[in-house]
Amino acid sequence: MTTPVFPARAQSSAAIQPEAAQILSLANEARAQDGAAPLQWDAALAAAARQHCQLMAANRSISHQYPGEPDASERAHQADAHFSLIEENVALAPTPAAIHNAWMNSPHHRSNLLNPDVDHVGIAVIAGRDGLYVVADYERIVVVLSQSQVESKIAALVKTSGIALQSDATLARAACATDDGMPRAASGPQPHYVMRWQTAALTQLPQELTDKLVSGRYRKAAVANCPTQGEEGSFTAYRLAVLLY
């Protein structure tokens, strides 16, 4: 199977198919009734959904993956979507309302649609001889940030403990890029503790690091972000390191 070519990520809500917009509206009404936040549109995810929807229409069947086709997470990754969680609903029905009702009456599909852990969606609809073929991909989006932006977010979390931040991140970035071991400075103060981790969420620190920060044993910290290591697959994550002095 040839690799599909996806359109640019940016897309205004005006470009959403009317049927897809109706399915999104019905989903958000159901989520509001269930206490979940509304889903926002992700054009990259919609592009991935459309590639798969075209295959469903061509095969005149509904499936989450055809022979030789990447799975939903890889399709989304190829379309330049960035996420830490992804789910998919597919359907064939005569109208958007019928599709929504079918999903709401299926425990698995209902769970995907109402999941409070997802916040964005991409929906594709193709009219076929048998009805409307529909793919809805739901995700928890990961905002793509620069190295300095990532480091600033982690530094802000560290600073809440009252520990001062070092402006020079050179040693911390070197430590981030290695898998283990205590980094050693060529001169000046030596770090006494290092924490390395990978995550998609930049809103909290690992508990072990938090415990160290409030222990009273450390006075300064250095924060670093570097490329991820290991097999992250199609999911987006950040690799981080914090040195304590």
Side-chain angles (χ1 to χ4, degrees), residues 147 150-158 165-166 168-183 191 193-199 201-202 204-206 209 213 220-229 237-245:
Q147 183 181 49
V150 173
E151 291 174 351
S152 293
K153 284 184 171 291
I154 299 303
L157 296 175
V158 171
L165 268 296
Q166 292 192 168
D168 185 357
T170 303
L171 185 62
R173 288 175 178 172
C176 184
T178 62
D179 197 34
D180 54 25
M182 180 66 69
Y193 172 83
V194 57
M195 165 68 79
R196 302 174 180 88
W197 75 102
Q198 295 189 175
T199 182
L202 301 176
Q204 63 182 25
L205 301 173
L209 177 57
L213 290 170
K220 290 186 177 182
V223 172
N225 164 235
C226 62
T228 56
Q229 295 185 11
Y238 296 104
R239 182 170 174 84
L240 302 153
V242 171
L243 309 183
L244 298 182
Y245 297 81

Side-chain angles (χ1 to χ4, degrees), residues 27-191:
N28 280 338
E29 288 177 12
R31 287 174 66 86
Q33 293 173 3
D34 202 57
L39 296 168
Q40 304 298 316
W41 186 259
D42 185 339
L45 207 56
R50 186 158 190 83
Q51 290 291 327
H52 183 61
C53 199
Q54 289 171 340
L55 283 178
M56 293 203 312
N59 283 279
R60 297 185 68 181
S61 65
I62 58 174
S63 173
H64 289 287
Q65 187 177 15
Y66 292 97
E69 181 192 24
D71 64 15
S73 65
E74 180 59 25
R75 294 194 300 266
H77 174 69
Q78 290 176 0
D80 199 31
H82 296 273
F83 49 89
S84 60
L85 170 66
I86 189 165
E87 303 171 334
E88 183 176 79
N89 282 354
V90 297
L92 171 62
T95 65
I99 288 160
H100 176 75
N101 290 335
W103 286 345
M104 290 296 288
N105 285 292
S106 164
H108 177 72
H109 295 89
R110 179 188 177 94
S111 176
N112 287 346
L113 192 154
L114 299 180
N115 188 349
D117 291 331
V118 299
D119 50 24
H120 282 70
V121 68
I123 302 170
V125 182
I126 293 178
R129 285 178 290 176
D130 308 304
L132 298 178
Y133 292 89
V134 180
V135 177
D137 287 333
Y138 310 92
E139 69 182 353
R140 171 169 285 279
I141 201 168
V142 176
V143 178
V144 179
L145 302 173
S146 68
Q147 183 181 49
S148 61
Q149 288 173 322
V150 173
E151 291 174 351
S152 293
K153 284 184 171 291
I154 299 303
L157 296 175
V158 171
K159 286 168 67 175
T160 61
S161 66
I163 290 182
L165 268 296
Q166 292 192 168
S167 58
D168 185 357
T170 303
L171 185 62
R173 288 175 178 172
C176 184
T178 62
D179 197 34
D180 54 25
M182 180 66 69
R184 305 298 297 175
S187 61
Q190 301 295 327

